[in-house]
Amino acid sequence: MPKNTPIIQSLLDTDLYKFTMLQVVLHQFPAAHGEYEFRCRNHPDTPLTQLRQQLEAQLDLLCELRFSQDELDYLRGLRFIKSDYVDYLELFHLQRRFISVSEESEQLAIRIKGPMVQAMFFEIFVLAIVNELYFRPLDSKAVREEGHRRLEAKLAELERFQREEAAGQRFPLLIADFGTRRRFSRDWQAHVVERLNHALPQVFRGTSNVYLARKLGITPIGTMAHEFFQAFQALGVRLRDFQKAALESWVQEYRGDLGIALTDVVGMDAFLADFDLYFAKLFDGLRHDSGDPYIWGERAIAHYRKLRIDPATKMLTFSDGLSVDSALALQRYFSPHIQVSFGIGTHFTNDMGLEPLQIVLKLVSCNGQPVAKLSDSPGKTMCSDETFLAYLRQVFKVPAPRQEPPTNP
């Protein structure tokens, strides 16, 4: 691919939850201001600072994109997308002045500062660009052949499960692609999703990537991310009540649609304390993104039973670093009790025999106030202000891990 060819060629080439969260922001707190920071959690062989010049050029190209009329018509056809929001998107383009790239302590630094109606939409595009720029020099015939071999092995394992075990399952196996942000390349993700859709029509339920969903006529999947909850830590509600405020805001916007709630912004204990009968009845299920998935799932089922809700009427969606093998193990374990589904990301779209990048671009402040994520997995906690992090732990009675890696390396 020539260096001046844009990696992102459509503003639909992002995850659905960017659209769903942005709609709530536009309707309910359009003046909110956000700041995002880039982190790389592993140590790639090639320093990411070498990508800076190419990244700057790709961001220039990204900020030239607009939604086409056909794309707007597609969005307008999604039942949970409101007409006035599409009218806004017709005028929308990303503003280059809100994102900056630099080098700090020999590390690539990416910062986004601006109104959340702009700032929050950069994330998936930027991560996909960094990934593709990093892996482009490593791309080869041998790498592609290995990627194909691994993909076909996964398809064979899923087909074997459907042939030999599906009939004994109470609930069907449901798998989706969640791999846009850490994909090997744009064309490789497209190939993976096309193969999944063709080979496993009874298992593959869709993709988080809106562009590919539209192109293939399949279901776009997604609801909310951590940043949605985190923003409410700084939106004028009592800190102890920010999760309930976020959930209520979602309910008021979508009125029963998009009913899978994320649980790990301040940990499962704190989430379940707020997820009372009202929310448990209104939301269709929960999404796991950190911590031991078996302990998490058992606790979710116990919580539903405590509220006298039949777990079989709800769904658990697992999305934390899954492989096909780990998804099938969770399916076997939980499907006798509750509906389950799986969002598989890197294991589908960047399993080429090379070490994937563990990169994130997370909200660190809103309206000038620090915000934080207290993950159930050590190393996933995100906060740039240790004082606020300690206060958040105190409010939600979350003990600090004995040896958690620094939150602001």
Side-chain angles (χ1 to χ4, degrees):
M1 179 186 293
K3 290 184 177 181
N4 61 347
T5 300
I7 290 173
I8 305 299
Q9 299 185 5
S10 166
L11 290 176
L12 291 185
D13 188 13
T14 189
D15 286 341
L16 178 66
Y17 68 26
K18 283 296 168 180
F19 288 97
T20 56
M21 291 189 295
L22 182 58
Q23 179 168 272
V24 183
V25 172
L26 180 68
H27 286 159
Q28 300 186 27
F29 44 102
H33 185 280
E35 297 187 17
Y36 294 73
E37 291 183 0
F38 173 86
R39 310 276 173 84
C40 183
R41 292 171 175 158
N42 60 346
H43 302 283
D45 294 332
T46 303
L48 298 184
T49 52
Q50 295 186 16
L51 307 179
R52 181 181 175 183
Q53 186 175 356
Q54 297 176 72
L55 175 58
E56 295 267 22
Q58 287 293 330
L59 291 175
D60 291 342
L61 294 170
L62 173 66
C63 292
E64 294 175 1
L65 289 175
R66 305 290 193 279
F67 288 101
S68 70
Q69 192 58 55
D70 287 347
E71 291 172 337
L72 294 168
D73 290 343
Y74 171 78
L75 292 171
R76 205 180 296 273
L78 300 176
R79 71 180 187 184
F80 46 82
I81 297 295
K82 298 179 180 178
S83 182
D84 69 309
Y85 176 44
V86 181
D87 293 339
Y88 166 77
L89 293 177
E90 189 169 7
L91 306 172
F92 180 87
H93 69 280
L94 288 164
Q95 301 285 344
R96 185 65 170 84
R97 68 181 182 274
F98 294 134
I99 183 167
S100 64
V101 183
S102 61
E103 298 178 28
E104 297 179 9
S105 302
E106 301 182 348
Q107 300 293 321
L108 182 68
I110 305 171
R111 285 189 171 81
I112 304 165
K113 297 181 181 182
M116 286 194 71
V117 290
Q118 275 275 326
M120 72 183 307
F121 213 61
F122 275 101
E123 178 197 3
I124 307 300
F125 298 128
V126 173
L127 295 177
I129 289 169
V130 170
N131 264 293
E132 187 148 351
L133 291 176
Y134 177 79
F135 285 107
R136 185 179 288 170
L138 305 175
D139 198 350
S140 67
K141 181 180 178 182
V143 166
R144 294 279 175 149
E145 288 176 349
E146 178 63 13
H148 282 287
R149 186 191 69 77
R150 294 183 180 211
L151 175 61
E152 294 305 314
K154 291 165 194 161
L155 295 176
E157 178 62 15
L158 291 167
E159 289 170 339
R160 186 207 62 76
F161 179 90
Q162 281 298 100
R163 184 174 62 253
E164 299 177 7
E165 298 185 54
Q169 297 288 305
R170 182 179 182 185
F171 296 110
L173 175 65
L174 301 172
I175 287 178
D177 158 54
F178 278 16
T180 303
R181 68 183 57 218
R182 292 175 185 161
R183 65 194 183 191
F184 181 75
S185 67
R186 179 170 55 88
D187 71 294
W188 181 253
Q189 183 186 20
H191 170 71
V192 169
V193 173
E194 287 170 0
R195 285 291 294 127
L196 286 164
N197 188 48
H198 180 264
L200 300 163
Q202 294 180 314
V203 171
F204 188 60
R205 61 190 294 253
T207 174
S208 63
N209 187 290
V210 182
Y211 176 83
L212 291 174
R214 174 177 179 254
K215 178 183 177 182
L216 298 175
I218 58 181
T219 303
I221 294 174
T223 56
M224 63 188 74
H226 300 97
E227 64 185 302
F228 180 76
F229 282 90
Q230 287 176 265
F232 280 84
Q233 296 170 7
L235 287 178
V237 301
R238 193 174 68 132
L239 184 60
R240 180 61 189 82
D241 296 330
F242 86 87
Q243 292 188 115
K244 289 183 284 189
L247 291 168
E248 183 64 35
S249 173
W250 196 265
V251 167
Q252 293 305 316
E253 185 71 26
Y254 290 111
R255 316 294 296 182
D257 254 323
L258 305 175
I260 301 295
L262 184 62
T263 67
D264 70 329
V265 178
V266 285
M268 188 61 161
D269 288 343
F271 179 84
L272 292 181
D274 289 339
F275 198 68
D276 59 11
L277 183 63
Y278 170 75
F279 289 123
K281 284 189 171 182
L282 289 175
F283 281 86
D284 299 322
L286 304 172
R287 178 162 76 90
H288 170 266
D289 199 49
S290 65
D292 186 304
Y294 292 93
I295 294 174
W296 177 89
E298 291 283 8
R299 296 200 60 208
I301 291 171
H303 187 70
Y304 281 125
R305 287 174 175 159
K306 179 182 176 182
L307 297 174
R308 298 184 181 181
I309 295 173
D310 182 359
T313 65
K314 300 296 180 178
M315 175 173 284
L316 301 182
T317 296
F318 295 88
S319 62
D320 180 30
L322 293 175
S323 65
V324 166
D325 288 342
S326 62
L328 291 179
L330 288 164
Q331 168 76 15
R332 295 183 186 104
Y333 188 86
F334 284 110
S335 67
H337 313 289
I338 194 167
Q339 300 172 63
V340 285
S341 63
F342 305 94
I344 300 180
T346 309
H347 187 64
F348 274 157
T349 63
N350 203 341
D351 186 17
M352 316 291 286
L354 304 171
E355 182 183 7
L357 295 178
Q358 297 179 24
I359 55 176
V360 295
L361 190 54
K362 294 295 187 180
L363 183 70
V364 295
S365 78
C366 180
N367 289 345
Q369 301 179 47
V371 299
K373 170 191 171 187
L374 291 177
S375 175
D376 285 320
S377 293
K380 280 192 168 185
T381 292
M382 288 286 293
C383 186
S384 59
D385 188 309
E386 293 293 340
T387 301
F388 177 74
L389 186 62
Y391 177 55
L392 188 64
R393 291 189 188 281
Q394 180 183 359
V395 168
F396 285 94
K397 297 180 173 59
V398 179
R402 291 181 179 179
Q403 293 183 328
E404 182 165 283
T407 61
N408 190 22

